[in-house]
mmCIF file of all heavy atoms in Angstrom:
data_model
loop_
_atom_site.group_PDB
_atom_site.id
_atom_site.type_symbol
_atom_site.label_atom_id
_atom_site.label_comp_id
_atom_site.label_asym_id
_atom_site.label_seq_id
_atom_site.Cartn_x
_atom_site.Cartn_y
_atom_site.Cartn_z
ATOM 1 N N THR S 526 85.786 70.638 81.711
ATOM 2 C CA THR S 526 84.559 71.379 81.415
ATOM 3 C C THR S 526 83.773 71.620 82.693
ATOM 4 O O THR S 526 83.530 70.703 83.480
ATOM 5 C CB THR S 526 83.679 70.614 80.416
ATOM 6 O OG1 THR S 526 84.399 70.443 79.197
ATOM 7 C CG2 THR S 526 82.395 71.380 80.133
ATOM 8 N N ASP S 527 83.400 72.863 82.918
ATOM 9 C CA ASP S 527 82.570 73.243 84.062
ATOM 10 C C ASP S 527 81.150 73.444 83.550
ATOM 11 O O ASP S 527 80.848 74.423 82.875
ATOM 12 C CB ASP S 527 83.119 74.529 84.683
ATOM 13 C CG ASP S 527 82.198 75.083 85.773
ATOM 14 O OD1 ASP S 527 81.307 74.345 86.215
ATOM 15 O OD2 ASP S 527 82.378 76.245 86.166
ATOM 16 N N ASN S 528 80.274 72.504 83.865
ATOM 17 C CA ASN S 528 78.885 72.596 83.384
ATOM 18 C C ASN S 528 77.918 72.847 84.528
ATOM 19 O O ASN S 528 76.747 72.468 84.451
ATOM 20 C CB ASN S 528 78.500 71.325 82.626
ATOM 21 C CG ASN S 528 78.682 70.082 83.475
ATOM 22 O OD1 ASN S 528 78.984 70.174 84.658
ATOM 23 N ND2 ASN S 528 78.492 68.909 82.883
ATOM 24 N N THR S 529 78.408 73.485 85.597
ATOM 25 C CA THR S 529 77.529 73.762 86.729
ATOM 26 C C THR S 529 76.425 74.742 86.352
ATOM 27 O O THR S 529 75.395 74.781 87.010
ATOM 28 C CB THR S 529 78.342 74.333 87.903
ATOM 29 O OG1 THR S 529 79.088 75.469 87.459
ATOM 30 C CG2 THR S 529 79.306 73.289 88.460
ATOM 31 N N VAL S 530 76.666 75.541 85.323
ATOM 32 C CA VAL S 530 75.612 76.419 84.797
ATOM 33 C C VAL S 530 75.292 75.924 83.387
ATOM 34 O O VAL S 530 76.014 76.220 82.436
ATOM 35 C CB VAL S 530 76.082 77.889 84.761
ATOM 36 C CG1 VAL S 530 74.959 78.776 84.264
ATOM 37 C CG2 VAL S 530 76.540 78.334 86.140
ATOM 38 N N PRO S 531 74.221 75.146 83.223
ATOM 39 C CA PRO S 531 73.968 74.469 81.946
ATOM 40 C C PRO S 531 73.901 75.397 80.747
ATOM 41 O O PRO S 531 74.304 75.037 79.651
ATOM 42 C CB PRO S 531 72.625 73.777 82.201
ATOM 43 C CG PRO S 531 72.542 73.633 83.687
ATOM 44 C CD PRO S 531 73.221 74.824 84.249
ATOM 45 N N ASP S 532 73.387 76.631 80.939
ATOM 46 C CA ASP S 532 73.246 77.526 79.803
ATOM 47 C C ASP S 532 74.523 78.301 79.505
ATOM 48 O O ASP S 532 74.547 79.132 78.615
ATOM 49 C CB ASP S 532 72.084 78.497 80.031
ATOM 50 C CG ASP S 532 72.292 79.371 81.266
ATOM 51 O OD1 ASP S 532 73.161 79.009 82.086
ATOM 52 O OD2 ASP S 532 71.587 80.373 81.402
ATOM 53 N N ASN S 533 75.576 78.030 80.246
ATOM 54 C CA ASN S 533 76.844 78.746 80.012
ATOM 55 C C ASN S 533 78.000 77.894 80.501
ATOM 56 O O ASN S 533 78.603 78.157 81.535
ATOM 57 C CB ASN S 533 76.827 80.095 80.740
ATOM 58 C CG ASN S 533 77.940 81.007 80.261
ATOM 59 O OD1 ASN S 533 78.845 80.578 79.549
ATOM 60 N ND2 ASN S 533 77.870 82.259 80.652
ATOM 61 N N LYS S 534 78.324 76.879 79.743
ATOM 62 C CA LYS S 534 79.414 75.994 80.114
ATOM 63 C C LYS S 534 80.742 76.724 79.960
ATOM 64 O O LYS S 534 80.924 77.546 79.081
ATOM 65 C CB LYS S 534 79.397 74.738 79.238
ATOM 66 C CG LYS S 534 78.190 73.846 79.459
ATOM 67 C CD LYS S 534 78.261 72.598 78.583
ATOM 68 C CE LYS S 534 77.057 71.711 78.803
ATOM 69 N NZ LYS S 534 77.108 70.498 77.947
ATOM 70 N N ARG S 535 81.669 76.382 80.848
ATOM 71 C CA ARG S 535 82.979 76.989 80.835
ATOM 72 C C ARG S 535 84.042 75.916 80.654
ATOM 73 O O ARG S 535 83.875 74.782 81.100
ATOM 74 C CB ARG S 535 83.255 77.735 82.145
ATOM 75 C CG ARG S 535 82.154 78.693 82.562
ATOM 76 C CD ARG S 535 82.145 79.932 81.733
ATOM 77 N NE ARG S 535 83.309 80.768 81.961
ATOM 78 C CZ ARG S 535 83.530 81.901 81.310
ATOM 79 N NH1 ARG S 535 82.696 82.306 80.379
ATOM 80 N NH2 ARG S 535 84.605 82.618 81.568
ATOM 81 N N THR S 536 85.125 76.290 80.015
ATOM 82 C CA THR S 536 86.274 75.403 79.880
ATOM 83 C C THR S 536 87.383 75.920 80.776
ATOM 84 O O THR S 536 87.827 77.059 80.627
ATOM 85 C CB THR S 536 86.756 75.336 78.419
ATOM 86 O OG1 THR S 536 85.693 74.837 77.598
ATOM 87 C CG2 THR S 536 87.956 74.408 78.308
ATOM 88 N N LEU S 537 87.788 75.092 81.725
ATOM 89 C CA LEU S 537 88.848 75.450 82.660
ATOM 90 C C LEU S 537 90.145 74.842 82.172
ATOM 91 O O LEU S 537 90.251 73.623 82.026
ATOM 92 C CB LEU S 537 88.515 74.940 84.063
ATOM 93 C CG LEU S 537 87.119 75.306 84.593
ATOM 94 C CD1 LEU S 537 86.922 74.739 85.992
ATOM 95 C CD2 LEU S 537 86.917 76.806 84.597
ATOM 96 N N VAL S 538 91.122 75.690 81.904
ATOM 97 C CA VAL S 538 92.372 75.246 81.294
ATOM 98 C C VAL S 538 93.519 75.451 82.287
ATOM 99 O O VAL S 538 93.631 76.496 82.917
ATOM 100 C CB VAL S 538 92.668 76.038 80.004
ATOM 101 C CG1 VAL S 538 93.960 75.551 79.367
ATOM 102 C CG2 VAL S 538 91.505 75.925 79.034
ATOM 103 N N THR S 539 94.328 74.427 82.426
ATOM 104 C CA THR S 539 95.587 74.548 83.162
ATOM 105 C C THR S 539 96.711 74.500 82.146
ATOM 106 O O THR S 539 96.828 73.532 81.384
ATOM 107 C CB THR S 539 95.766 73.419 84.183
ATOM 108 O OG1 THR S 539 94.686 73.460 85.112
ATOM 109 C CG2 THR S 539 97.075 73.580 84.934
ATOM 110 N N GLY S 540 97.505 75.547 82.111
ATOM 111 C CA GLY S 540 98.595 75.626 81.150
ATOM 112 C C GLY S 540 99.912 75.912 81.847
ATOM 113 O O GLY S 540 99.963 76.095 83.066
ATOM 114 N N GLN S 541 100.949 75.938 81.061
ATOM 115 C CA GLN S 541 102.284 76.133 81.619
ATOM 116 C C GLN S 541 103.079 77.065 80.734
ATOM 117 O O GLN S 541 103.165 76.877 79.521
ATOM 118 C CB GLN S 541 102.985 74.779 81.725
ATOM 119 C CG GLN S 541 104.364 74.834 82.337
ATOM 120 C CD GLN S 541 104.914 73.448 82.578
ATOM 121 O OE1 GLN S 541 104.308 72.643 83.283
ATOM 122 N NE2 GLN S 541 106.051 73.142 81.980
ATOM 123 N N ILE S 542 103.630 78.110 81.331
ATOM 124 C CA ILE S 542 104.535 79.026 80.647
ATOM 125 C C ILE S 542 105.959 78.606 80.979
ATOM 126 O O ILE S 542 106.325 78.498 82.153
ATOM 127 C CB ILE S 542 104.314 80.484 81.098
ATOM 128 C CG1 ILE S 542 102.877 80.923 80.830
ATOM 129 C CG2 ILE S 542 105.299 81.412 80.400
ATOM 130 C CD1 ILE S 542 102.524 81.039 79.393
ATOM 131 N N ASN S 543 106.779 78.351 79.971
ATOM 132 C CA ASN S 543 108.170 77.970 80.173
ATOM 133 C C ASN S 543 109.087 79.105 79.722
ATOM 134 O O ASN S 543 108.883 79.688 78.650
ATOM 135 C CB ASN S 543 108.515 76.716 79.364
ATOM 136 C CG ASN S 543 107.731 75.507 79.821
ATOM 137 O OD1 ASN S 543 107.497 75.322 81.009
ATOM 138 N ND2 ASN S 543 107.305 74.689 78.872
ATOM 139 N N TYR S 544 110.084 79.395 80.510
ATOM 140 C CA TYR S 544 111.100 80.370 80.127
ATOM 141 C C TYR S 544 112.075 79.695 79.159
ATOM 142 O O TYR S 544 112.738 78.729 79.507
ATOM 143 C CB TYR S 544 111.866 80.868 81.353
ATOM 144 C CG TYR S 544 111.133 81.921 82.154
ATOM 145 C CD1 TYR S 544 110.062 81.583 82.959
ATOM 146 C CD2 TYR S 544 111.506 83.258 82.103
ATOM 147 C CE1 TYR S 544 109.383 82.535 83.699
ATOM 148 C CE2 TYR S 544 110.841 84.223 82.838
ATOM 149 C CZ TYR S 544 109.780 83.855 83.636
ATOM 150 O OH TYR S 544 109.115 84.806 84.364
ATOM 151 N N GLU S 545 112.153 80.216 77.949
ATOM 152 C CA GLU S 545 113.075 79.690 76.940
ATOM 153 C C GLU S 545 114.300 80.598 76.887
ATOM 154 O O GLU S 545 114.654 81.130 75.837
ATOM 155 C CB GLU S 545 112.377 79.631 75.575
ATOM 156 C CG GLU S 545 111.129 78.763 75.539
ATOM 157 C CD GLU S 545 111.455 77.274 75.614
ATOM 158 O OE1 GLU S 545 112.642 76.923 75.532
ATOM 159 O OE2 GLU S 545 110.516 76.474 75.753
ATOM 160 N N THR S 546 114.925 80.806 78.022
ATOM 161 C CA THR S 546 116.038 81.747 78.125
ATOM 162 C C THR S 546 117.300 81.033 78.607
ATOM 163 O O THR S 546 117.248 79.881 79.029
ATOM 164 C CB THR S 546 115.690 82.877 79.110
ATOM 165 O OG1 THR S 546 115.394 82.293 80.387
ATOM 166 C CG2 THR S 546 114.485 83.661 78.632
#
Side-chain angles (χ1 to χ4, degrees):
T526 299
D527 173 14
N528 57 6
T529 54
V530 182
D532 61 344
N533 194 349
K534 294 182 180 180
R535 310 286 292 178
T536 300
L537 309 180
V538 181
T539 300
Q541 182 172 302
I542 301 292
N543 296 322
Y544 281 74
E545 301 288 351
T546 58

